[in-house]
């Protein structure tokens, strides 16, 4: 028998220690993290085996922010302090955000320039901070799963995120103390996940319908390289809009007037989402709405809803996505019949009508074999693994495109485009300008992003001055302006007077309102709190989970406890619920956890009986034959 070799703790036996790299899909509704293990990309789950982390952050009375499912459950009871869909605000102005028509129940400060600021009970927070909480939570999950800190991440962003939105995403990662290897476009990640980089040369369309956004991207695989031919879509269209239409329909059925209070709105939206998702699997189901808000307003309605009703409520929205597809194909100068594969991404592509309309439009069956929620994170993980150096050979080269044209302001408030949109990045272009006045010694350069002709219709990225030009007659100076866009889509601009070599240079940091100092402060604050954060967060999450279970159990008991349980069983459950409620107000997290488990166990039989009832209800309307078909 040979002796076992024992390594010093912390010392690796392997000659080349693998680095930990992760791919993060930072979504509007859900976020998730994946990593490559033994050559295969896997999505990481939390301790309750959930892979999708709701992109929701709650700012509680005390302690660190709560992220994910617990926060999502607080949206109804605490709408002002529970921030969802923050991605829609990243790098945008308050006017952009209100333009989106999104009915956010939050309170904004009255700051007009830069990114909106949210008023929570823990103070004013920016969307970048909210996003950093989500990233931190995913990093923590990775550490728990792999036992070590993450060395680097690839974060995905929608293809047409502009410079400000990309920069905001990077800043969020910085605040969460993460090293960003690269930002990549979500559709490109999806194509990587399907391994289409090893496939034949062809044109690929990526149809991504998520919770808050729709993206269509036309890629071409050419000599082992993905080239993005065109991108398009709608940054304010997604499954949330399906929910809204259905919630309005439900409100009308329940006889509510135009604007119910935020709690009722949230309740209806949550119900609508549930119903919509179930209708992806069953043809019809029975719905029972019952809710009373704190302000005393109540909803009550019971009835059947089937897929046809949902289809009617959403078909116009899906039609809109088809129009974006047509526009992008035109941009790319590609005929529908030349599209080889269509990849489906995003939870909303589970809606059967979406699948059939896409198949009809592209005249081909879309790829759906990889879970549409996970496909982007998986592609990002594969790319992260390459970028961190875990795979020495055959890198997949990524070419993304610039989503919007870049240019500078010229006389009369006009835009001179220097790099047109859809140019593959990284890219560098120069153009020569001259002075317009005799003896002019300085020049102001205004960098803008957008495709409109007038400066006022584009987004202003930065202004900078070139000074010290020797006095010359108008038109004699030779000023070369160079634009450079790196692989992340970040822009730098420089200007040089050719005859003297005087140079001025700027890395464009979009002016969305966060200064470097502000970011440093946030980073420091998050480090200060790091130690007590974990314990405080765990306690807060358990308290919230306890209260949720208390409320849910009481509601269930009130609904049909008497009819399904014996008097003894009923009383025992009541006692157990009361016990949990009392504990949830203490900070004894172990006791709360134990009692949570105990109550969950005690109510198993009751839950099973209730489940039977709801299954029976859901099956009404489907014949046994239909069910057998679906199970095949
Ligand atoms: P995002 O990238 O915007 O975060 P996701 O790709 O996670 O979005 O998609 C979330 C959307 O998908 C939500 O609107 C959700 O309701 C919807 N969704 C998830 N599962 C289903 C389903 N089974 N049927 C219909 N829609 C679904
Ligand atoms: Mg997504």
């Amino acid at each position: 028998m040979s002796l076992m070799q024992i390594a010093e703790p912390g010392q690796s036996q392997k000659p080349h220690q693998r680095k930990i790299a992760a791919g993060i899909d930072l979504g509007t509704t859900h976020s998730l993290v994946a990593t490559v293990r033994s050559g295969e990309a896997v999505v990481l789950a939390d301790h309750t085996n959930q892979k999708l982390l709701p992109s929701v952050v709650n700012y509680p009375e005390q302690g660190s922010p709560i992220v994910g499912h617990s926060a999502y459950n607080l949206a109804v009871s605490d709408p002002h302090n529970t921030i969802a869909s923050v991605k829609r605000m990243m790098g945008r102005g308050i006017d952009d955000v209100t333009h989106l028509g999104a009915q956010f129940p939050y309170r904004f400060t009255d700051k007009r320039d830069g990114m909106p600021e949210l008023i929570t009970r823990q103070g004013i927070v920016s969307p970048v901070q909210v996003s950093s909480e989500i990233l931190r939570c995913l990093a923590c999950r990775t550490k728990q799963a792999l036992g070590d800190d993450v060395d680097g991440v690839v974060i995905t962003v929608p293809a047409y995120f502009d410079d400000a939105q990309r920069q905001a995403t990077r800043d969020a990662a910085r605040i969460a103390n993460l090293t960003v290897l690269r930002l990549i476009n979500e559709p490109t990640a999806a194509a990587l996940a399907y391994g289409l980089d090893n496939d034949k040369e062809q044109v690929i369309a990526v149809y991504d319908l998520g919770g808050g956004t729709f993206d269509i991207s036309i890629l071409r695989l050419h000599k082992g390289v993905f080239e993005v031919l065109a991108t398009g879509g709608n940054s304010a269209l997604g499954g949330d809009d399906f929910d809204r239409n259905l919630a309005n329909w439900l409100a009308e059925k329940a006889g509510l007037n135009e604007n119910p209070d935020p709690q009722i709105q949230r309740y209806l939206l949550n119900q609508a989402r549930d119903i919509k998702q179930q209708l992806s699997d069953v043809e019809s189901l029975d719905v029972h709405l019952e809710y009373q808000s704190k302000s005393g307003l109540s909803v009550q309605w019971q009835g059947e809803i089937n897929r046809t009703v949902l289809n009617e409520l959403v078909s116009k929205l899906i039609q809109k996505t088809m129009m974006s597809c047509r526009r992008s194909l035109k941009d790319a100068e590609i005929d529908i019949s030349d599209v080889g594969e269509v990849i489906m991404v995003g939870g909303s592509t589970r809606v059967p009508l979406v699948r059939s309309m896409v198949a009809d439009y592209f005249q081909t069956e879309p790829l759906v074999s990889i879970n549409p929620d996970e496909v982007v994170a998986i592609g990002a993980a594969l790319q992260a693994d390459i970028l961190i150096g875990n795979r020495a050979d055959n890198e997949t080269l990524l070419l993304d495109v610039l989503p919007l044209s870049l240019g500078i302001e010229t006389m009369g408030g006009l835009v001179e485009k220097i790099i047109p949109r859809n140019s593959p990045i990284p890219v560098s272009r120069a153009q020569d300008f001259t002075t317009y006045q005799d003896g002019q010694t300085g020049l102001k350069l205004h960098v803008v992003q957008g495709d409109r002709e007038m400066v006022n219709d584009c987004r202003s990225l930065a202004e900078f001055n070139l000074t010290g030009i020797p006095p010359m007659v108008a038109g004699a100076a030779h000023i070369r302006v160079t634009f450079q866009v790196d692989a992340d889509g970040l822009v730098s601009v420089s200007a040089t007077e050719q005859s003297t070599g005087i140079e001025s240079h700027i890395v464009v940091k979009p002016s969305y309102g966060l200064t470097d100092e502000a970011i440093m402060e946030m980073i420091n604050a998050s480090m200060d709190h790091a130690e007590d954060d974990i314990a405080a967060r765990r306690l807060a999450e358990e308290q919230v989970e306890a209260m949720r279970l208390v409320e849910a159990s009481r509601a269930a008991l009130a609904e049909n406890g008497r009819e399904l349980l014996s008097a003894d069983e009923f009383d025992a459950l009541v006692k157990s619920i009361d016990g949990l409620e009392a504990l949830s107000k203490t900070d004894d997290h172990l006791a709360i956890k134990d009692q949570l488990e105990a109550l969950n166990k005690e109510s198993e039989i009751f839950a099973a009986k209730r489940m039977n009832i709801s299954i029976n209800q859901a099956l009404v309307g489907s014949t046994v034959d239909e069910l057998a078909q679906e199970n095949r």
Side-chain angles (χ1 to χ4, degrees), residues 1-5:
M1 194 201 202
S2 62
L3 289 172
M4 298 275 280
Q5 288 188 332

Side-chain angles (χ1 to χ4, degrees), residues 24 30 130:
I24 295 180
H30 293 118
V130 179

Side-chain angles (χ1 to χ4, degrees), residues 44-93:
L44 302 175
D46 67 5
H47 60 283
T48 62
N49 220 8
Q50 308 258 19
K51 291 177 177 173
L52 297 184
L53 178 76
S55 304
V56 185
V57 178
N58 173 268
Y59 291 86
E61 296 281 358
Q62 295 179 336
S64 350
I66 299 168
V67 185
H69 292 278
S70 311
Y72 176 84
N73 288 327
L74 286 165
V76 174
S77 60
D78 190 16
H80 291 321
N81 298 294
T82 308
I83 318 297
S85 295
V86 72
K87 189 172 176 180
R88 288 191 167 199
M89 298 176 222
M90 289 288 273
R92 310 298 297 264

Side-chain angles (χ1 to χ4, degrees), residues 25 27 87 186 208 210 345-346:
D25 174 2
K87 189 172 176 180
E186 289 160 9
D208 178 352
V345 180

Side-chain angles (χ1 to χ4, degrees), residues 439-469:
Q440 189 179 345
T441 58
L443 198 65
K444 185 158 133 191
L445 288 154
H446 183 193
V447 182
V448 295
Q449 182 169 41
D451 287 280
R452 307 279 296 273
E453 296 304 318
M454 302 300 295
V455 166
N456 287 340
D457 298 324
C458 293
R459 174 187 282 274
S460 167
L461 285 185
E463 284 188 18
F464 70 111
N465 293 314
L466 180 66
T467 52
I469 304 170

